[in-house]
Amino acid sequence: MYGLIGRMLAAPGRREELLDIMLDDMDFMPGCLSYVLARDPSHEDAIWITEVWDSAEDHKASLALPSVQATIAKARPLIAGFDNRYETEPLGGIGL
Amino acid sequence: MYGLIGRMLAAPGRREELLDIMLDDMDFMPGCLSYVLARDPSHEDAIWITEVWDSAEDHKASLALPSVQATIAKARPLIAGFDNRYETEPLGGIGL
């Protein structure tokens, strides 16, 4: 499996709007076992994203899906950047 | 929902042994929606743990479960410490 843990920063004051777009658009993606969006209670503009995929190739391929491209186009103006990004090798647990 | 993202450090050279204990003992915990164990490919002793719970109270209560206490007792000698810990407010996504 392939995992990502990342923190996205919304444009100042736009976090809820960005979350709404990302949550509304969330849809089946081949090879995606888990994709969780969470507020960071310590930073008013930050969103933690934790992902588990069957493989790195599945994650990469997802970025080309029309549904994902459409979400990226809507979300991009509300994204200020990313300040944490960790790749992981998930092994198992609950909920996969 | 209540989430945790944390990095645990195994005693030097003991990561696989620690992961085996934690994965073998993984069992149903009330209120636990997701609990994923992952190797950190950038640090040979580090393990990322990402958790989603119905509530902070469910997480806290889990630490008193006999099965969890038994795992902690077995794992503790192999744990060197924790160097990252982030609380989150999960909102949704895939796999919850």
Side-chain angles (χ1 to χ4, degrees), chain A residues 21-63:
Chain A
I21 290 172
M22 295 180 71
L23 287 164
D24 284 351
D25 283 4
M26 191 75 64
D27 200 1
F28 172 79
M29 294 183 282
C32 183
L33 303 175
S34 177
Y35 193 108
V36 176
L37 293 168
R39 290 191 196 102
D40 182 342
S42 75
H43 186 312
E44 66 183 7
D45 295 317
I47 297 167
W48 282 106
I49 306 175
T50 50
E51 308 174 39
V52 181
W53 298 82
D54 280 329
S55 70
E57 291 67 34
D58 285 315
H59 170 255
K60 191 174 174 189
S62 75
L63 302 175

Side-chain angles (χ1 to χ4, degrees), chain B:
Chain B
M1 285 183 277
Y2 173 76
L4 283 171
I5 298 170
R7 197 171 82 152
M8 176 188 282
L9 298 176
R14 310 294 291 277
R15 178 169 72 174
E16 295 310 306
E17 202 178 337
L18 177 56
L19 282 166
D20 284 347
I21 290 172
M22 295 180 72
L23 287 164
D24 284 352
D25 282 5
M26 192 74 66
D27 200 0
F28 172 78
M29 294 182 282
C32 182
L33 303 174
S34 176
Y35 193 109
V36 176
L37 293 168
R39 289 191 198 103
D40 181 342
S42 75
H43 186 312
E44 65 183 8
D45 294 318
I47 297 167
W48 283 105
I49 306 175
T50 51
E51 308 174 39
V52 181
W53 298 82
D54 280 328
S55 70
E57 292 68 32
D58 284 316
H59 169 256
K60 191 175 174 188
S62 76
L63 301 175
L65 294 170
S67 60
V68 173
Q69 286 286 323
T71 302
I72 291 171
K74 277 193 278 184
R76 185 175 287 134
L78 303 178
I79 300 173
F82 295 83
D83 66 353
N84 285 275
R85 186 177 186 278
Y86 308 108
E87 290 187 303
T88 75
E89 296 174 10
L91 298 166
I94 293 167
L96 292 182

Side-chain angles (χ1 to χ4, degrees), chain A residues 5-10 18 22 35 47-49 51 72 76 79-85:
Chain A
I5 298 170
R7 196 171 83 153
M8 175 187 282
L9 298 176
L18 177 55
M22 295 180 71
Y35 193 108
I47 297 167
W48 282 106
I49 306 175
E51 308 174 39
I72 291 172
R76 186 176 286 133
I79 299 172
F82 295 83
D83 67 353
N84 285 276
R85 185 176 187 278

